């Protein structure tokens, strides 16, 4: 009798484990909707996620910050005091202080934090030209990398992702940077004819990977998947595109997500092509198209996955000649970014018709006391100036201005978060940099590391905010 009870008990336990594993797989991989059939197809006609591969295995665990915590992490008692450090890590030069004679030009910052807590920055090195990949007058552009293993205090020498460009037709630029769940680092970039295609050739999205924390990089190769299939499938109405530069998003289950600006010709037929990878960046799928019914749009950026599983897109306002340069926003309506609605948040801000970036800072889904999104943008309706930080406590429904990081001329910016709750940024800045004031895209690329208390330091006392660690007993999964 005892043996029968033992066998019954073992059977119950095994059954519970199997049920839990099946249930958990759904929560850990929101790219497997309930209506996926046995062959992997999806019955939604408007769901453009065909080709999404199975979940990453093993599932991604939340990092335990208490283990192997670097000495330079900001301790909890310091989070209640303003903290900010900054340094120039890519310095541009012109001859004889003359902006018409570029000598050494850096542009297009991207920044991420590796699984080993290394801060890694990338930028375009455009040699003695201001021009982007694919534009006439461009040079042999390379993407260069610098690393810091001590929180941004010291930086290693520049590393060029190979092969080194020999002319403007072998150039690589406009990088979108990802830190993968398996520890790899991945950079997507524009090549070939780029977006402009003024030098001939087709738009190409290339990829390079590092498997050793950013010390060495694979040669550029054409990105696998369908993100280069202009004129076909979801890209049938578009003949060109490039991934919007900066820092790419990584969702809770390890899925990488970014977006491309696509167009047909150079008219105002622009749209955002949302791209995903569920295999740590080895292959990429065009998930869907987000396009305004009225008005123009430019470079799109994935901010994050919201608590209900939807995706938030922050999009450059479009034509720089536009009368009103307000940020454009999309939110997915179903199936993790398969279709989109345009939204207008309260407190929407200007972006100077320039690329900008937002990130998830804290989520109640991850055990934090509040939802917080942080966004940098050029808060200007005239030209590129006033690099400003904003915060949302309600997942992008409304935004509050925090502080101006640089009131002078500035440009593209990128953001990432360290595991200690501090934030790192990388931004193109001309004002206060000792550079000649000019309308040309002449910038130093400035690194900052700061905490939430510093960002909110100029607010009334009741609105000042600071980071506290999450309650891990309250963690829920998407």
């Amino acid at each position: 009798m005892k043996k029968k009870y033992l066998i019954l008990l073992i059977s119950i336990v095994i059954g519970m484990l199997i049920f839990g594993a099946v249930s958990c797989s759904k929560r850990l991989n929101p790219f497997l909707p309930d209506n996926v059939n046995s062959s992997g197809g999806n019955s939604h006609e408007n769901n453009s996620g065909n080709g999404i591969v199975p979940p990453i295995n093993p599932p991604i665990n939340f990092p335990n910050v208490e283990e192997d915590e670097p000495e330079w992490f900001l301790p909890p008692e310091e989070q209640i005091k303003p903290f900010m450090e900054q340094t120039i890590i890519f310095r541009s030069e012109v001859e004889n202080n003359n902006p018409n004679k570029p000598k050494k030009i850096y542009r297009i910052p991207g920044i991420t934090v590796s699984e080993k807590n290394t801060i890694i920055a990338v930028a375009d090195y455009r040699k003695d030209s201001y021009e982007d990949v694919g534009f006439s007058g461009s040079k042999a552009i390379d993407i260069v990398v610098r690393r810091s293993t001590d929180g941004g205090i010291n930086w290693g020498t520049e590393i060029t992702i190979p092969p080194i460009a020999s002319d403007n037709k072998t150039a690589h630029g406009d990088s979108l940077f990802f830190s993968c769940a398996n520890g790899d680092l991945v950079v997507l970039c524009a090549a070939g004819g780029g977006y402009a295609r003024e030098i001939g050739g087709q738009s190409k999205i290339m990829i390079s990977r590092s498997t050793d924390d950013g010390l060495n990089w694979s040669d550029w190769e054409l990105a696998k998947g369908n993100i280069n299939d202009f004129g076909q499938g979801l890209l049938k109405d578009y003949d060109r595109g490039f991934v919007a530069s900066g820092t790419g998003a990584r969702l809770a289950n390890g899925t990488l997500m970014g977006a491309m600006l696509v167009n047909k010709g150079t008219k105002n037929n622009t749209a955002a092509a949302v791209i995903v990878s569920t295999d740590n960046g080895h292959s990429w799928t065009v998930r869907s198209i987000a396009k305004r019914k009225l008005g123009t749009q430019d470079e799109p950026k994935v901010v994050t996955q919201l608590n209900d599983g939807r995706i938030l897109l922050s999009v450059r306002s479009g034509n720089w000649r536009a009368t009103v340069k307000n940020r454009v926003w999309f939110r997915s309506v179903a199936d993790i970014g398969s279709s989109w609605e345009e939204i207008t948040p309260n407190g929407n801000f200007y972006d100077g018709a320039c690329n900008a970036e937002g990130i998830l800072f804290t989520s109640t889904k991850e055990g934090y006391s509040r939802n917080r999104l942080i966004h940098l943008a050029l808060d200007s309706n005239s030209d590129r100036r006033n690099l400003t930080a904003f915060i949302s406590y309600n997942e992008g429904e409304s935004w509050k201005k925090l502080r101006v990081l640089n009131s002078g001329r500035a440009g593209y910016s990128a953001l990432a978060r360290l595991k200690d709750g501090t934030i790192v940024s990388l931004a193109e800045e001309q004002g206060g940099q000792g550079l000649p004031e000019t309308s040309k895209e002449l910038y130093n690329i400035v690194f900052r590391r700061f905490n939430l208390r510093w960002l909110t330091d100029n607010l009334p006392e009741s609105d000042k905010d600071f980071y506290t660690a999450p309650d891990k007993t309250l963690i829920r999964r998407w």
Side-chain angles (χ1 to χ4, degrees):
M1 181 65 70
K2 289 182 180 180
K3 184 175 181 181
K4 289 182 179 180
Y5 280 123
L6 180 60
I7 293 173
L8 178 62
L9 180 60
I10 292 172
S11 299
I12 292 172
V13 171
I14 292 173
M16 291 175 66
L17 289 173
I18 293 173
F19 176 80
V22 172
S23 174
C24 187
S25 70
K26 168 65 180 169
R27 295 196 308 274
L28 289 174
N29 187 20
F31 274 90
L32 293 178
D34 293 325
N35 59 335
V36 174
N37 60 40
S38 59
S39 63
N42 193 308
S43 61
H44 276 313
E45 290 184 1
N46 70 337
N47 181 2
S48 51
N50 293 332
I52 300 298
V53 301
I56 294 174
N57 189 26
I60 310 308
N61 295 317
F62 280 89
N64 187 346
V65 186
E66 297 170 359
E67 295 181 4
D68 301 320
E69 188 174 284
E71 293 182 359
W72 50 265
F73 267 21
L74 198 67
E77 61 271 19
E78 297 295 321
Q79 296 282 8
I80 61 176
K81 298 182 289 187
F83 166 83
M84 194 279 287
E85 297 175 338
Q86 72 177 65
T87 187
I88 298 170
I89 62 171
F90 296 107
R91 188 182 297 273
S92 293
E93 299 177 16
V94 295
E95 292 184 15
N96 301 320
N97 209 38
N98 184 350
N100 293 317
K101 294 183 176 181
K103 182 179 178 181
K104 192 175 183 180
I105 301 300
Y106 291 97
R107 283 215 59 201
I108 319 299
I111 193 166
T112 196
V113 179
S114 76
E115 291 299 296
K116 295 182 179 180
N117 299 307
T118 302
I119 304 171
I120 305 171
V122 295
D124 285 12
Y125 176 36
R126 296 189 173 178
K127 313 300 194 303
D128 58 350
S129 172
Y130 295 110
E131 298 301 330
D132 199 353
V133 171
F135 282 82
S136 60
S138 60
K139 296 296 179 72
I141 302 170
D142 288 306
I143 292 177
V144 292
V145 178
R146 294 191 72 184
R147 305 168 66 255
S148 174
T149 58
D150 59 4
I153 299 171
N154 296 289
W155 291 84
T157 57
E158 285 184 16
I159 302 167
T160 301
I161 299 181
I164 295 175
S166 57
D167 54 29
N168 62 358
K169 293 186 178 181
T170 58
H172 301 88
D174 303 320
S175 57
L176 181 61
F177 202 6
F178 293 91
S179 177
C180 303
N182 69 345
D184 288 359
L185 301 166
V186 166
V187 175
L188 297 176
C189 80
Y195 182 73
R197 293 173 52 183
E198 292 178 358
I199 62 172
Q202 301 298 311
S203 298
K204 292 182 180 180
I205 313 300
M206 308 291 280
I207 188 169
S208 177
R209 177 181 301 271
S210 173
T211 59
D212 60 1
D213 209 42
L215 289 169
N216 295 280
W217 294 83
S218 66
D219 284 5
W220 292 111
E221 64 177 0
L222 198 67
K224 293 180 174 62
N226 64 1
I227 66 172
N228 280 293
D229 291 351
F230 298 104
Q232 304 176 49
L234 286 175
L235 300 178
K236 65 182 184 302
D237 295 327
Y238 309 100
D239 66 0
R240 66 193 63 209
F242 73 103
V243 288
S245 62
T247 306
R250 191 174 96 194
L251 308 189
N253 71 332
T255 296
L256 306 180
M257 181 175 276
M260 302 193 300
L261 175 68
V262 293
N263 202 350
K264 182 160 183 135
T266 55
K267 305 297 183 182
N268 289 327
N269 186 41
T270 53
V274 178
I275 61 174
V276 298
S277 172
T278 55
D279 59 3
N280 294 301
H282 288 282
S283 61
W284 293 85
T285 300
V286 178
R287 173 93 176 143
S288 56
I289 302 293
K291 184 175 174 61
R292 303 184 78 181
K293 293 180 180 178
L294 294 172
T296 62
Q297 63 191 84
D298 211 285
E299 291 155 289
K301 305 295 283 292
V302 175
V303 178
T304 191
Q305 184 179 24
L306 304 175
N307 282 356
D308 62 3
R310 294 183 294 175
I311 305 298
L312 183 65
L313 280 183
S314 170
V315 182
R316 176 175 163 178
S317 56
N319 196 316
W320 63 271
R321 298 183 182 89
T323 304
V324 179
K325 300 178 179 65
N326 279 332
R327 201 72 182 159
V328 177
W329 301 87
F330 291 95
R331 186 173 55 202
S332 64
V333 296
D335 288 345
I336 322 298
S338 64
S339 56
W340 301 87
E341 61 179 353
E342 184 176 353
I343 62 172
T344 303
N346 293 324
N348 193 17
F349 43 85
Y350 299 123
D351 67 4
C354 186
N355 193 8
E357 190 156 290
I359 59 168
L360 172 67
F361 182 62
T362 60
S363 167
T364 56
K365 200 104 175 178
E366 296 177 346
Y368 290 96
S369 60
R370 306 181 78 175
N371 296 312
R372 299 180 182 93
L373 304 178
I374 305 291
H375 206 296
L376 291 183
L378 302 184
D379 191 25
S380 170
N381 196 37
S382 56
D383 60 355
R384 292 186 169 184
R385 62 181 60 248
N386 288 334
L387 179 63
T388 305
F390 300 85
I391 194 167
S392 174
Y393 289 105
N394 53 11
E395 300 198 290
E397 295 283 351
S398 64
W399 292 89
K400 176 189 290 188
K401 183 176 179 177
L402 295 182
R403 70 181 300 158
V404 176
L405 279 66
N406 190 327
S407 61
R409 186 165 169 78
Y412 285 32
S413 57
L415 282 168
R417 206 202 86 166
L418 287 158
K419 294 174 186 175
D420 67 345
T422 55
I423 302 163
V424 289
S425 68
L426 205 59
E428 300 175 336
E429 300 183 34
Q430 185 182 109
Q433 297 298 309
L435 295 167
E437 187 171 346
T438 175
S439 60
K440 294 185 180 298
E441 305 298 339
L442 173 61
Y443 308 103
N444 289 331
I445 296 185
V446 180
F447 167 83
R448 287 184 181 84
R449 180 182 171 215
F450 48 87
N451 64 359
L452 183 60
R453 181 63 178 78
W454 178 78
L455 275 184
T456 61
D457 194 41
N458 293 336
L459 301 182
E461 198 64 33
S462 59
D463 291 337
K464 296 185 192 302
D465 197 2
F466 60 92
Y467 172 84
T468 55
D471 181 347
K472 295 184 179 180
T473 65
L474 300 178
I475 290 176
R476 298 166 292 142
R477 300 308 298 260
W478 280 259

